[in-house]
Amino acid sequence: MLGSVRELAAVWGLTERLEHASALGPAFREMLDCAVEISRRAKTLAGAAYTDERRIVLNVALLEQGRESDRDATFLHECAHILADLFHGRPCKHSEAWREVMKLLGEKPAVRHDLSYLSRAAHAVVTWQCQNCNDEYHFVRRPRRRPSSCYCRTCGPELGLLRVVYPK
């Protein structure tokens, strides 16, 4: 465990940002006590929030030097999930309720991250490519099916034959 939300917000200089949500009362105070852990197994997942367990999990890659803005954005994103869920008493996912909490924290309510070091391409064990349009399909785990039994989403079954390009 890295620490609690309260402790890490202080270390990372995010306490003031989180304080913007103090109007959410008990939900805010409860969120501050949530545990924050790191995952060494996650490859493409930046973070996850588990409201019932009162914990947040961050990808270990976010803790590397030079990635502080990605770490902070992911941390606040997951805090917003916990806050929204606790305040509304239900899982809010990426609903309008969650978006409002993100805005309260001063963050853009972005659902997806664009972090090249957490992309499927960066962690692919196999890559297939369409022979027609060259679209690539990256697999973090080895697929059970063969490329010959699949086809490109864009080109369809007639034109979109796939071939393995990585590993060669």
Side-chain angles (χ1 to χ4, degrees):
M1 184 172 108
L2 282 176
S4 69
V5 168
R6 177 183 283 112
E7 294 164 350
L8 293 174
V11 171
W12 293 339
L14 298 172
T15 302
E16 190 176 316
R17 298 276 297 280
L18 285 177
E19 289 290 330
H20 293 192
S22 62
L24 300 179
F28 172 75
R29 290 186 295 280
E30 213 170 319
M31 179 271 307
L32 289 176
D33 293 328
C34 288
V36 180
E37 303 170 356
I38 59 168
S39 171
R40 296 186 194 292
R41 291 185 59 207
K43 293 182 180 182
T44 60
L45 182 74
Y50 301 97
T51 305
D52 292 342
E53 300 171 26
R54 304 297 192 267
R55 72 184 175 106
I56 292 172
V57 177
L58 298 176
N59 190 309
V60 70
L62 294 171
L63 302 179
E64 292 178 18
Q65 183 116 17
R67 296 179 175 168
E68 291 81 8
S69 63
D70 296 339
R71 177 203 63 207
D72 295 350
T74 303
F75 178 72
L76 292 170
H77 177 113
E78 303 309 335
C79 286
H81 278 296
I82 301 279
L83 275 166
D85 292 357
L86 291 173
F87 185 74
H88 293 285
R90 60 180 167 74
C92 293
K93 298 186 180 174
H94 294 115
S95 68
E96 190 57 38
W98 172 81
R99 290 174 190 279
E100 290 301 318
V101 174
M102 284 290 282
K103 290 174 190 170
L104 245 169
L105 298 176
E107 287 289 299
K108 286 184 185 176
V111 175
R112 302 259 182 246
H113 58 77
D114 186 22
L115 307 174
S116 60
Y117 55 91
L118 295 181
S119 69
R120 294 180 68 77
H123 294 280
V125 295
V126 174
T127 300
W128 295 349
Q129 186 178 47
C130 174
Q131 294 180 31
N132 187 48
C133 71
N134 293 327
D135 276 358
E136 291 186 344
Y137 299 88
H138 305 283
F139 297 90
V140 176
R141 286 186 233 119
R142 188 161 301 287
R144 292 183 181 171
R145 57 197 183 273
R146 296 182 319 275
S148 60
S149 65
C150 302
Y151 56 86
C152 175
R153 278 179 245 164
T154 307
C155 300
E158 307 239 344
L159 297 174
L161 300 175
L162 300 174
R163 64 186 164 99
V164 176
V165 291
Y166 175 79
K168 293 183 181 193

mmCIF file of all heavy atoms in Angstrom, residues 10-45:
data_model
loop_
_atom_site.group_PDB
_atom_site.id
_atom_site.type_symbol
_atom_site.label_atom_id
_atom_site.label_comp_id
_atom_site.label_asym_id
_atom_site.label_seq_id
_atom_site.Cartn_x
_atom_site.Cartn_y
_atom_site.Cartn_z
ATOM 1 N N ALA A 10 -1.283 14.995 -0.015
ATOM 2 C CA ALA A 10 -0.356 15.936 0.625
ATOM 3 C C ALA A 10 1.036 15.834 0.000
ATOM 4 O O ALA A 10 1.647 16.854 -0.335
ATOM 5 C CB ALA A 10 -0.288 15.670 2.127
ATOM 6 N N VAL A 11 1.529 14.619 -0.198
ATOM 7 C CA VAL A 11 2.858 14.409 -0.766
ATOM 8 C C VAL A 11 2.922 14.911 -2.211
ATOM 9 O O VAL A 11 3.915 15.518 -2.628
ATOM 10 C CB VAL A 11 3.254 12.911 -0.701
ATOM 11 C CG1 VAL A 11 4.515 12.625 -1.479
ATOM 12 C CG2 VAL A 11 3.401 12.470 0.744
ATOM 13 N N TRP A 12 1.868 14.664 -2.985
ATOM 14 C CA TRP A 12 1.855 15.015 -4.401
ATOM 15 C C TRP A 12 1.340 16.430 -4.662
ATOM 16 O O TRP A 12 1.203 16.840 -5.813
ATOM 17 C CB TRP A 12 1.022 14.002 -5.184
ATOM 18 C CG TRP A 12 1.633 12.630 -5.211
ATOM 19 C CD1 TRP A 12 2.934 12.298 -4.997
ATOM 20 C CD2 TRP A 12 0.944 11.393 -5.467
ATOM 21 N NE1 TRP A 12 3.105 10.940 -5.112
ATOM 22 C CE2 TRP A 12 1.912 10.360 -5.395
ATOM 23 C CE3 TRP A 12 -0.376 11.071 -5.754
ATOM 24 C CZ2 TRP A 12 1.588 9.026 -5.606
ATOM 25 C CZ3 TRP A 12 -0.700 9.742 -5.962
ATOM 26 C CH2 TRP A 12 0.276 8.724 -5.890
ATOM 27 N N GLY A 13 0.986 17.168 -3.615
ATOM 28 C CA GLY A 13 0.525 18.545 -3.774
ATOM 29 C C GLY A 13 -0.877 18.664 -4.358
ATOM 30 O O GLY A 13 -1.180 19.631 -5.060
ATOM 31 N N LEU A 14 -1.735 17.710 -4.054
ATOM 32 C CA LEU A 14 -3.091 17.702 -4.609
ATOM 33 C C LEU A 14 -4.170 17.971 -3.556
ATOM 34 O O LEU A 14 -5.362 17.913 -3.866
ATOM 35 C CB LEU A 14 -3.362 16.358 -5.289
ATOM 36 C CG LEU A 14 -2.454 16.030 -6.472
ATOM 37 C CD1 LEU A 14 -2.674 14.604 -6.935
ATOM 38 C CD2 LEU A 14 -2.690 17.009 -7.605
ATOM 39 N N THR A 15 -3.767 18.270 -2.340
ATOM 40 C CA THR A 15 -4.733 18.480 -1.257
ATOM 41 C C THR A 15 -5.709 19.601 -1.588
ATOM 42 O O THR A 15 -6.919 19.459 -1.412
ATOM 43 C CB THR A 15 -4.004 18.786 0.070
ATOM 44 O OG1 THR A 15 -3.127 17.692 0.351
ATOM 45 C CG2 THR A 15 -4.981 18.964 1.208
ATOM 46 N N GLU A 16 -5.186 20.708 -2.097
ATOM 47 C CA GLU A 16 -6.039 21.850 -2.421
ATOM 48 C C GLU A 16 -7.057 21.496 -3.500
ATOM 49 O O GLU A 16 -8.206 21.924 -3.437
ATOM 50 C CB GLU A 16 -5.168 23.022 -2.888
ATOM 51 C CG GLU A 16 -5.937 24.320 -3.004
ATOM 52 C CD GLU A 16 -5.015 25.476 -3.369
ATOM 53 O OE1 GLU A 16 -3.918 25.569 -2.787
ATOM 54 O OE2 GLU A 16 -5.417 26.260 -4.245
ATOM 55 N N ARG A 17 -6.633 20.711 -4.487
ATOM 56 C CA ARG A 17 -7.548 20.288 -5.552
ATOM 57 C C ARG A 17 -8.673 19.437 -4.977
ATOM 58 O O ARG A 17 -9.834 19.600 -5.330
ATOM 59 C CB ARG A 17 -6.802 19.474 -6.614
ATOM 60 C CG ARG A 17 -5.707 20.199 -7.344
ATOM 61 C CD ARG A 17 -6.186 21.034 -8.513
ATOM 62 N NE ARG A 17 -6.812 20.307 -9.581
ATOM 63 C CZ ARG A 17 -6.166 19.645 -10.522
ATOM 64 N NH1 ARG A 17 -4.856 19.591 -10.524
ATOM 65 N NH2 ARG A 17 -6.837 19.036 -11.467
ATOM 66 N N LEU A 18 -8.300 18.510 -4.076
ATOM 67 C CA LEU A 18 -9.317 17.644 -3.475
ATOM 68 C C LEU A 18 -10.258 18.432 -2.571
ATOM 69 O O LEU A 18 -11.437 18.116 -2.470
ATOM 70 C CB LEU A 18 -8.667 16.505 -2.695
ATOM 71 C CG LEU A 18 -8.063 15.374 -3.524
ATOM 72 C CD1 LEU A 18 -7.395 14.351 -2.613
ATOM 73 C CD2 LEU A 18 -9.099 14.694 -4.396
ATOM 74 N N GLU A 19 -9.739 19.459 -1.918
ATOM 75 C CA GLU A 19 -10.554 20.277 -1.004
ATOM 76 C C GLU A 19 -11.745 20.919 -1.709
ATOM 77 O O GLU A 19 -12.739 21.243 -1.070
ATOM 78 C CB GLU A 19 -9.702 21.370 -0.343
ATOM 79 C CG GLU A 19 -8.718 20.853 0.686
ATOM 80 C CD GLU A 19 -9.376 20.336 1.949
ATOM 81 O OE1 GLU A 19 -10.456 20.844 2.323
ATOM 82 O OE2 GLU A 19 -8.811 19.419 2.561
ATOM 83 N N HIS A 20 -11.671 21.088 -3.016
ATOM 84 C CA HIS A 20 -12.794 21.676 -3.771
ATOM 85 C C HIS A 20 -14.054 20.820 -3.646
ATOM 86 O O HIS A 20 -15.160 21.312 -3.851
ATOM 87 C CB HIS A 20 -12.429 21.828 -5.244
ATOM 88 C CG HIS A 20 -11.350 22.832 -5.482
ATOM 89 N ND1 HIS A 20 -11.037 23.304 -6.734
ATOM 90 C CD2 HIS A 20 -10.490 23.461 -4.640
ATOM 91 C CE1 HIS A 20 -10.045 24.161 -6.655
ATOM 92 N NE2 HIS A 20 -9.691 24.269 -5.379
ATOM 93 N N ALA A 21 -13.869 19.555 -3.308
ATOM 94 C CA ALA A 21 -15.007 18.639 -3.185
ATOM 95 C C ALA A 21 -15.452 18.473 -1.733
ATOM 96 O O ALA A 21 -16.298 17.636 -1.434
ATOM 97 C CB ALA A 21 -14.652 17.285 -3.779
ATOM 98 N N SER A 22 -14.940 19.289 -0.829
ATOM 99 C CA SER A 22 -15.293 19.142 0.588
ATOM 100 C C SER A 22 -16.776 19.388 0.847
ATOM 101 O O SER A 22 -17.317 18.919 1.844
ATOM 102 C CB SER A 22 -14.445 20.080 1.457
ATOM 103 O OG SER A 22 -14.697 21.421 1.108
ATOM 104 N N ALA A 23 -17.443 20.063 -0.080
ATOM 105 C CA ALA A 23 -18.884 20.306 0.051
ATOM 106 C C ALA A 23 -19.685 18.996 -0.008
ATOM 107 O O ALA A 23 -20.858 18.981 0.370
ATOM 108 C CB ALA A 23 -19.358 21.253 -1.046
ATOM 109 N N LEU A 24 -19.063 17.929 -0.445
ATOM 110 C CA LEU A 24 -19.750 16.635 -0.525
ATOM 111 C C LEU A 24 -19.803 15.932 0.835
ATOM 112 O O LEU A 24 -20.270 14.801 0.937
ATOM 113 C CB LEU A 24 -19.094 15.739 -1.575
ATOM 114 C CG LEU A 24 -19.091 16.301 -3.000
ATOM 115 C CD1 LEU A 24 -18.405 15.339 -3.954
ATOM 116 C CD2 LEU A 24 -20.495 16.605 -3.478
ATOM 117 N N GLY A 25 -19.313 16.616 1.875
ATOM 118 C CA GLY A 25 -19.464 16.184 3.265
ATOM 119 C C GLY A 25 -18.898 14.822 3.595
ATOM 120 O O GLY A 25 -17.716 14.562 3.377
ATOM 121 N N PRO A 26 -19.739 13.923 4.139
ATOM 122 C CA PRO A 26 -19.265 12.605 4.569
ATOM 123 C C PRO A 26 -18.587 11.801 3.454
ATOM 124 O O PRO A 26 -17.622 11.090 3.709
ATOM 125 C CB PRO A 26 -20.530 11.891 5.051
ATOM 126 C CG PRO A 26 -21.488 12.982 5.374
ATOM 127 C CD PRO A 26 -21.160 14.121 4.448
ATOM 128 N N ALA A 27 -19.076 11.944 2.238
ATOM 129 C CA ALA A 27 -18.460 11.227 1.109
ATOM 130 C C ALA A 27 -17.013 11.693 0.928
ATOM 131 O O ALA A 27 -16.111 10.890 0.697
ATOM 132 C CB ALA A 27 -19.260 11.461 -0.166
ATOM 133 N N PHE A 28 -16.791 12.989 1.076
ATOM 134 C CA PHE A 28 -15.446 13.556 0.949
ATOM 135 C C PHE A 28 -14.523 13.027 2.042
ATOM 136 O O PHE A 28 -13.412 12.576 1.771
ATOM 137 C CB PHE A 28 -15.512 15.087 0.990
ATOM 138 C CG PHE A 28 -14.176 15.747 1.048
ATOM 139 C CD1 PHE A 28 -13.374 15.820 -0.088
ATOM 140 C CD2 PHE A 28 -13.703 16.295 2.226
ATOM 141 C CE1 PHE A 28 -12.128 16.426 -0.042
ATOM 142 C CE2 PHE A 28 -12.459 16.903 2.280
ATOM 143 C CZ PHE A 28 -11.676 16.966 1.143
ATOM 144 N N ARG A 29 -15.001 13.060 3.277
ATOM 145 C CA ARG A 29 -14.182 12.604 4.396
ATOM 146 C C ARG A 29 -13.859 11.113 4.289
ATOM 147 O O ARG A 29 -12.750 10.679 4.596
ATOM 148 C CB ARG A 29 -14.867 12.932 5.730
ATOM 149 C CG ARG A 29 -14.874 14.439 6.021
ATOM 150 C CD ARG A 29 -15.409 14.759 7.403
ATOM 151 N NE ARG A 29 -16.817 14.419 7.593
ATOM 152 C CZ ARG A 29 -17.828 15.167 7.167
ATOM 153 N NH1 ARG A 29 -17.607 16.296 6.524
ATOM 154 N NH2 ARG A 29 -19.073 14.800 7.395
ATOM 155 N N GLU A 30 -14.819 10.338 3.817
ATOM 156 C CA GLU A 30 -14.604 8.900 3.658
ATOM 157 C C GLU A 30 -13.603 8.612 2.538
ATOM 158 O O GLU A 30 -12.766 7.718 2.650
ATOM 159 C CB GLU A 30 -15.941 8.218 3.349
ATOM 160 C CG GLU A 30 -16.029 6.834 3.912
ATOM 161 C CD GLU A 30 -17.429 6.259 3.814
ATOM 162 O OE1 GLU A 30 -18.407 6.983 4.055
ATOM 163 O OE2 GLU A 30 -17.512 5.060 3.481
ATOM 164 N N MET A 31 -13.674 9.398 1.463
ATOM 165 C CA MET A 31 -12.757 9.215 0.342
ATOM 166 C C MET A 31 -11.315 9.478 0.777
ATOM 167 O O MET A 31 -10.392 8.798 0.336
ATOM 168 C CB MET A 31 -13.157 10.158 -0.797
ATOM 169 C CG MET A 31 -12.279 10.113 -2.030
ATOM 170 S SD MET A 31 -10.859 11.230 -2.026
ATOM 171 C CE MET A 31 -11.566 12.798 -1.660
ATOM 172 N N LEU A 32 -11.107 10.445 1.663
ATOM 173 C CA LEU A 32 -9.749 10.782 2.114
ATOM 174 C C LEU A 32 -9.070 9.611 2.826
ATOM 175 O O LEU A 32 -7.849 9.511 2.836
ATOM 176 C CB LEU A 32 -9.777 11.997 3.039
ATOM 177 C CG LEU A 32 -10.083 13.333 2.380
ATOM 178 C CD1 LEU A 32 -10.183 14.423 3.442
ATOM 179 C CD2 LEU A 32 -9.054 13.695 1.330
ATOM 180 N N ASP A 33 -9.867 8.712 3.398
ATOM 181 C CA ASP A 33 -9.311 7.571 4.134
ATOM 182 C C ASP A 33 -9.126 6.323 3.273
ATOM 183 O O ASP A 33 -8.655 5.299 3.762
ATOM 184 C CB ASP A 33 -10.195 7.236 5.339
ATOM 185 C CG ASP A 33 -10.163 8.339 6.389
ATOM 186 O OD1 ASP A 33 -9.107 8.992 6.516
ATOM 187 O OD2 ASP A 33 -11.187 8.560 7.057
ATOM 188 N N CYS A 34 -9.492 6.396 1.999
ATOM 189 C CA CYS A 34 -9.325 5.243 1.107
ATOM 190 C C CYS A 34 -7.853 4.912 0.929
ATOM 191 O O CYS A 34 -6.993 5.795 0.894
ATOM 192 C CB CYS A 34 -9.932 5.536 -0.261
ATOM 193 S SG CYS A 34 -11.723 5.561 -0.259
ATOM 194 N N ALA A 35 -7.570 3.635 0.803
ATOM 195 C CA ALA A 35 -6.196 3.163 0.586
ATOM 196 C C ALA A 35 -5.835 3.309 -0.886
ATOM 197 O O ALA A 35 -6.679 3.137 -1.766
ATOM 198 C CB ALA A 35 -6.085 1.704 1.008
ATOM 199 N N VAL A 36 -4.578 3.622 -1.147
ATOM 200 C CA VAL A 36 -4.072 3.690 -2.517
ATOM 201 C C VAL A 36 -2.962 2.654 -2.640
ATOM 202 O O VAL A 36 -2.033 2.629 -1.844
ATOM 203 C CB VAL A 36 -3.539 5.094 -2.863
ATOM 204 C CG1 VAL A 36 -3.023 5.130 -4.293
ATOM 205 C CG2 VAL A 36 -4.618 6.143 -2.650
ATOM 206 N N GLU A 37 -3.105 1.783 -3.641
ATOM 207 C CA GLU A 37 -2.146 0.709 -3.879
ATOM 208 C C GLU A 37 -1.587 0.829 -5.281
ATOM 209 O O GLU A 37 -2.160 1.529 -6.121
ATOM 210 C CB GLU A 37 -2.846 -0.652 -3.745
ATOM 211 C CG GLU A 37 -3.506 -0.868 -2.413
ATOM 212 C CD GLU A 37 -4.392 -2.109 -2.387
ATOM 213 O OE1 GLU A 37 -4.539 -2.767 -3.450
ATOM 214 O OE2 GLU A 37 -4.930 -2.408 -1.326
ATOM 215 N N ILE A 38 -0.490 0.127 -5.529
ATOM 216 C CA ILE A 38 0.038 0.066 -6.889
ATOM 217 C C ILE A 38 -0.152 -1.341 -7.432
ATOM 218 O O ILE A 38 -0.212 -2.300 -6.683
ATOM 219 C CB ILE A 38 1.530 0.460 -6.959
ATOM 220 C CG1 ILE A 38 2.382 -0.457 -6.093
ATOM 221 C CG2 ILE A 38 1.739 1.902 -6.611
ATOM 222 C CD1 ILE A 38 3.857 -0.316 -6.341
ATOM 223 N N SER A 39 -0.270 -1.408 -8.756
ATOM 224 C CA SER A 39 -0.367 -2.703 -9.419
ATOM 225 C C SER A 39 0.840 -2.868 -10.325
ATOM 226 O O SER A 39 1.103 -2.020 -11.177
ATOM 227 C CB SER A 39 -1.640 -2.789 -10.262
ATOM 228 O OG SER A 39 -1.613 -3.962 -11.043
ATOM 229 N N ARG A 40 1.561 -3.946 -10.129
ATOM 230 C CA ARG A 40 2.685 -4.265 -11.011
ATOM 231 C C ARG A 40 2.222 -5.165 -12.153
ATOM 232 O O ARG A 40 2.949 -5.388 -13.108
ATOM 233 C CB ARG A 40 3.791 -4.947 -10.216
ATOM 234 C CG ARG A 40 4.384 -4.048 -9.154
ATOM 235 C CD ARG A 40 5.574 -4.693 -8.458
ATOM 236 N NE ARG A 40 5.957 -4.019 -7.243
ATOM 237 C CZ ARG A 40 6.484 -2.810 -7.158
ATOM 238 N NH1 ARG A 40 6.665 -2.106 -8.234
ATOM 239 N NH2 ARG A 40 6.822 -2.288 -6.001
ATOM 240 N N ARG A 41 0.996 -5.679 -12.049
ATOM 241 C CA ARG A 41 0.462 -6.584 -13.077
ATOM 242 C C ARG A 41 -0.235 -5.843 -14.202
ATOM 243 O O ARG A 41 -0.254 -6.309 -15.335
ATOM 244 C CB ARG A 41 -0.525 -7.564 -12.445
ATOM 245 C CG ARG A 41 0.123 -8.577 -11.531
ATOM 246 C CD ARG A 41 -0.875 -9.577 -11.026
ATOM 247 N NE ARG A 41 -1.488 -10.270 -12.156
ATOM 248 C CZ ARG A 41 -2.698 -10.804 -12.138
ATOM 249 N NH1 ARG A 41 -3.418 -10.751 -11.051
ATOM 250 N NH2 ARG A 41 -3.181 -11.418 -13.187
ATOM 251 N N ALA A 42 -0.847 -4.700 -13.888
ATOM 252 C CA ALA A 42 -1.602 -3.958 -14.900
ATOM 253 C C ALA A 42 -0.674 -3.527 -16.027
ATOM 254 O O ALA A 42 0.428 -3.048 -15.792
ATOM 255 C CB ALA A 42 -2.269 -2.750 -14.273
ATOM 256 N N LYS A 43 -1.128 -3.716 -17.251
ATOM 257 C CA LYS A 43 -0.321 -3.323 -18.401
ATOM 258 C C LYS A 43 -0.908 -2.100 -19.077
ATOM 259 O O LYS A 43 -0.207 -1.130 -19.317
ATOM 260 C CB LYS A 43 -0.221 -4.479 -19.382
ATOM 261 C CG LYS A 43 0.572 -5.639 -18.829
ATOM 262 C CD LYS A 43 0.712 -6.750 -19.824
ATOM 263 C CE LYS A 43 1.512 -7.877 -19.190
ATOM 264 N NZ LYS A 43 1.743 -8.966 -20.094
ATOM 265 N N THR A 44 -2.205 -2.135 -19.394
ATOM 266 C CA THR A 44 -2.828 -1.021 -20.115
ATOM 267 C C THR A 44 -3.783 -0.213 -19.242
ATOM 268 O O THR A 44 -4.264 0.821 -19.670
ATOM 269 C CB THR A 44 -3.587 -1.538 -21.357
ATOM 270 O OG1 THR A 44 -4.607 -2.441 -20.939
ATOM 271 C CG2 THR A 44 -2.641 -2.238 -22.314
ATOM 272 N N LEU A 45 -4.047 -0.672 -18.043
ATOM 273 C CA LEU A 45 -4.956 0.013 -17.127
ATOM 274 C C LEU A 45 -4.175 1.038 -16.309
ATOM 275 O O LEU A 45 -3.214 0.688 -15.632
ATOM 276 C CB LEU A 45 -5.602 -1.011 -16.185
ATOM 277 C CG LEU A 45 -6.620 -0.493 -15.196
ATOM 278 C CD1 LEU A 45 -7.926 -0.174 -15.918
ATOM 279 C CD2 LEU A 45 -6.861 -1.522 -14.115
#
